């Protein structure tokens, strides 16, 4: 296996996940953490939770966007290298949920960054989160292949 | 060349691997020592207290449940108790006992969650996995009895929404027996492990006077030797149950850890007592659609300490004002007292020692 194939394979098979709590109620966050623990064990899909945006392929966001953290969310998204996939976990991340009418809430995170996968639930169950992340990994694969084609065209 | 002993600023957060929540601290560092720490807030602020203008007092139960996903049952309980006091109704005895059972189950799962995060903060990942595996049993109990894993939303004004029948209670006690066995193992690890002692003994010491003067609540206060526990005021069914506040003298992170681990055993005991004493009867009482004018308060002991609810009504369906004082808000002053003088490596441990819940604090 050449170096290029090796990088391609490990990229598709082992996406790294970054989690950001964007004014959520902690419900979805502790379910995402529960996904990493022995009962649900997200790591069997090669997914590891990392703390650095520059190492991450998938951004998992919980909670709604408010006026202060929209800059932070944008910043984290911009720091991630391409190709990247965004997963919105919970109804708050999708639409604003129960907080939609509160004065400091702008709505779902798709007002700030593009979202690829929405995981429903209040809070989303670990099974649903793992399903969403698995879908995200497939989208990541597609994006990676498209990027490769674009590079070939540019040559 | 960089001169040593020059002050530099290090931002801690808002996105930080040690805590799933966005806490931001501006740390002024001299060599490896923290000299000053400034917190910044507002990353999780949603403005939930203002929602009382848009949702009526029954819908607000669901909103206050979403202040924090970890201790949601206690937020609902505190709010419902305040509204019940305002209306002047008496909740059925069975509902009071059921509230105690769910609240204590929440306390166990919250302390296990915190214990795992603390272990993760000083790099003991095995222990993190172990304590979260034990926690899954509690989540199963919550899902079986209340229908959801995290935000169970069982409280309504006037009582509770769901019942635990005798068959379920028997199963619950069997599960708790296994949980108790696992927590005993956790307790043994905590008392004998060299790594845990190295990272927690003597870290973040608060004397009895300091803890009291800084207004800390919950395990932080009890870890410093002050026996204050809101459950002793006897709300819900606690007046009929037999327990003592758990107190440790040393006032460091290790003492707080011991307090929390002992509280898990206490909570298991309280659930058992509540199930053995629970009377038959109604689950909730009917309430009128309109509130009387007036104001009321309610104080509930959450896993992190005392939560204080104040409500004011001018009559009608909607409340006029809701004010919540959360335990983490009370404990933040002690965090800022402990940080100066500590090393940078201890900052994650110190942040976790007060068990911060930012979404409670900023609402």
């Amino acid at each position: 296996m050449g170096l290029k194939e090796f990088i391609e394979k490990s990229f598709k098979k082992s996406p790294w996940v970054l989690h950001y709590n964007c004014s959520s109620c902690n419900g979805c966050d502790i379910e995402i953490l529960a996904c990493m623990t022995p009962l649900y064990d997200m790591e069997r899909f090669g997914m590891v939770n990392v703390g650095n945006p520059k190492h991450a392929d998938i951004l998992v966001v919980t909670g709604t966007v408010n006026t202060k953290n929209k800059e932070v969310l944008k910043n984290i998204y911009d720091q991630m290298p391409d190709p990247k996939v965004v997963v919105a976990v919970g109804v708050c991340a999708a639409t604003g949920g129960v907080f939609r009418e509160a004065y400091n809430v702008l709505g779902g995170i798709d007002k700030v960054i593009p979202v690829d996968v929405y995981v429903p639930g209040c809070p989303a169950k670990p099974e649903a989160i793992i399903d969403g992340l698995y879908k995200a990994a497939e989208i990541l694969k597609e994006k990676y292949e498209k990027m490769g084609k674009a590079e070939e065209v540019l040559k | 060349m960089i001169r040593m002993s020059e002050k530099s600023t290090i931002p801690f957060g808002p996105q930080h691997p040690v805590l799933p929540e966005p806490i931001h601290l501006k740390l002024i560092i001299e060599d490896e020592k923290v000299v000053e720490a400034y917190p910044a807030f507002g990353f999780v602020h949603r403005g939930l207290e203002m929602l009382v203008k848009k949702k009526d007092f029954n819908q607000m139960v669901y909103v206050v449940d979403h202040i924090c996903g970890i201790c949601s049952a206690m937020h609902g309980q505190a709010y419902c108790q305040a509204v019940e006091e305002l209306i002047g109704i008496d909740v059925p005895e069975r509902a009071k006992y059921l509230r105690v059972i769910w609240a204590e189950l929440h306390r166990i799962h919250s302390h296990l969650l915190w214990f795992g995060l603390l272990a993760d903060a000083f790099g003991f990942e095995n222990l993190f996995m172990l304590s979260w595996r034990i926690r899954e049993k509690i989540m199963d109990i919550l899902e079986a009895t209340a229908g959801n894993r995290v935000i169970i939303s069982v409280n309504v004004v006037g009582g509770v929404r769901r019942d635990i029948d005798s068959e379920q209670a028997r199963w619950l006690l069997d599960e708790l027996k296994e949980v108790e066995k696992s927590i005993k193992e956790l307790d043994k690890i905590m008392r004998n492990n060299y790594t845990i002692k190295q990272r927690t003994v003597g870290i973040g010491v608060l004397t009895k006077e300091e803890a009291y003067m800084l207004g800390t609540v919950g395990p932080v206060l009890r870890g410093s030797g002050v026996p204050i526990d809101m459950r002793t005021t006897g709300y819900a069914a606690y007046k009929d149950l037999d327990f003592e506040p758990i107190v440790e003298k040393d006032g460091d992170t290790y003492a707080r850890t011991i307090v929390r681990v002992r509280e898990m055993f206490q909570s298991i005991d309280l659930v058992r007592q509540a199930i053995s004493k629970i009377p038959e009867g109604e689950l909730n009482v009917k309430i009128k659609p309109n509130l009387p004018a007036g104001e009321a308060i309610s104080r509930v002991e959450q896993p992190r300490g005392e939560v204080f609810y104040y409500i004011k009504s001018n009559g009608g369906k909607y409340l006029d004002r809701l004010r919540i004082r959360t335990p983490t808000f009370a404990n933040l002053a002690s965090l800022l007292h402990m940080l100066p003088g500590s090393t940078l490596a201890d900052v994650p441990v110190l942040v976790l020692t007060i068990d911060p819940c930012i979404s409670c604090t900023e609402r």
Side-chain angles (χ1 to χ4, degrees), chain B residues 41-115:
Chain B
F41 292 109
F43 295 101
V44 201
H45 179 61
R46 292 152 289 184
L48 292 186
E49 287 176 357
M50 269 297 271
L51 273 183
V52 288
K53 301 274 180 200
K54 287 174 184 160
K55 313 252 181 199
D56 71 38
F57 72 97
N58 279 318
Q59 291 171 324
M60 269 312 281
V61 182
Y62 193 65
V63 175
V64 293
D65 269 334
H66 285 74
I67 285 175
C68 169
I70 303 172
C71 38
S72 65
M74 275 107 144
H75 272 293
Q77 186 186 359
Y79 173 79
C80 289
Q81 281 176 10
V83 178
E84 282 149 12
E85 199 189 309
L86 179 74
I87 304 174
I89 48 167
D90 223 11
V91 178
E93 281 296 307
R94 190 174 178 83
K96 285 183 182 171
Y97 275 86
L98 286 170
R99 278 179 182 176
V100 168
I101 292 170
W102 275 310
E104 293 305 321
L105 286 173
H106 265 73
R107 195 181 312 278
I108 303 170
H109 108 73
S110 172
H111 282 344
L112 280 171
L113 180 148
W114 170 84
F115 194 70

Side-chain angles (χ1 to χ4, degrees), chain A residues 18 21 23-26 30-31 33-34 36-37 39-40 51 66 68-69 99 101-104 122-123 125, chain B residues 15 20-22 41-48 50 54-55 66 68-69 113 129 132 136 143 148-150 359:
Chain A
L18 174 78
N21 172 338
S23 83
S24 145
C25 73
N26 280 348
I30 55 179
E31 294 293 61
L33 276 181
M36 292 161 34
T37 51
L39 190 67
Y40 295 101
N66 68 19
K68 186 153 181 177
N69 65 23
F99 312 130
E101 287 169 287
Y103 63 83
N104 201 23
C122 182
K125 290 208 181 264
Chain B
Q15 186 264 331
E21 292 182 277
F41 292 109
F43 295 101
V44 201
H45 179 61
R46 292 152 289 184
L48 292 186
M50 269 297 271
K54 287 174 184 160
K55 313 252 181 199
H66 285 74
C68 169
L113 180 148
M129 295 291 181
W132 278 63
E136 285 298 330
E143 193 174 11
N148 203 359
R149 277 165 55 90
V150 174
S359 63

Side-chain angles (χ1 to χ4, degrees), chain B residues 85-261:
Chain B
E85 199 189 309
L86 179 74
I87 304 174
I89 48 167
D90 223 11
V91 178
E93 281 296 307
R94 190 174 178 83
K96 285 183 182 171
Y97 275 86
L98 286 170
R99 278 179 182 176
V100 168
I101 292 170
W102 275 310
E104 293 305 321
L105 286 173
H106 265 73
R107 195 181 312 278
I108 303 170
H109 108 73
S110 172
H111 282 344
L112 280 171
L113 180 148
W114 170 84
F115 194 70
L117 288 180
L118 180 77
D120 199 36
F122 51 72
F124 199 158
E125 211 178 323
N126 274 1
L127 198 60
F128 164 71
M129 295 291 181
L130 188 71
S131 77
W132 278 63
R133 194 175 66 190
I134 304 168
R135 180 177 164 270
E136 285 298 330
K137 278 229 153 44
I138 305 285
M139 304 316 280
D140 285 347
I141 295 176
L142 288 175
E143 193 174 11
T145 55
N148 203 359
R149 277 165 55 90
V150 174
I151 293 170
I152 60 171
S153 205
V154 282
N155 292 294
V156 285
V157 177
V160 289
R161 212 189 287 269
R162 275 172 177 260
D163 196 8
I164 299 180
D165 56 28
S166 56
E167 200 180 319
Q168 241 176 0
R170 218 174 307 130
W171 170 80
L172 196 158
L173 289 176
D174 284 348
E175 290 283 294
L176 270 188
K177 215 176 275 170
E178 281 185 37
V179 172
E180 191 180 24
K181 216 199 273 170
S182 319
I183 298 177
K184 267 189 188 142
E185 269 173 43
L186 210 64
D187 185 53
K188 214 196 277 171
I189 295 172
M190 193 203 66
R191 284 177 197 273
N192 298 322
N193 191 290
Y194 176 77
T195 316
I196 297 178
K197 285 197 171 165
Q198 282 292 307
R199 292 304 301 270
T200 55
V201 174
I203 303 291
V205 180
L206 280 180
T207 61
K208 199 171 176 178
E209 288 73 29
E210 278 172 343
Y212 191 77
M213 290 304 287
L214 288 164
T216 56
V217 291
V220 182
L221 184 60
R222 293 196 285 278
S224 295
V226 187
I228 294 180
D229 189 328
M230 278 309 124
R231 288 176 289 177
T232 50
T233 56
Y235 65 86
Y238 286 111
K239 56 186 179 303
D240 303 327
L241 302 175
D242 180 33
F243 71 101
E244 290 271 307
I246 283 165
V247 175
E248 290 285 332
K249 292 193 300 293
D250 295 346
D252 56 358
T253 306
Y254 188 64
R256 280 166 224 143
T257 315
I258 293 182
V259 167
R260 287 184 176 114
V261 172

Side-chain angles (χ1 to χ4, degrees), chain A residues 103-122:
Chain A
Y103 63 83
N104 201 23
V105 169
L106 302 178
I109 56 162
D110 48 10
K111 298 235 162 112
V112 182
I113 55 172
V115 179
D116 298 279
V117 183
Y118 293 92
V119 179
C122 182

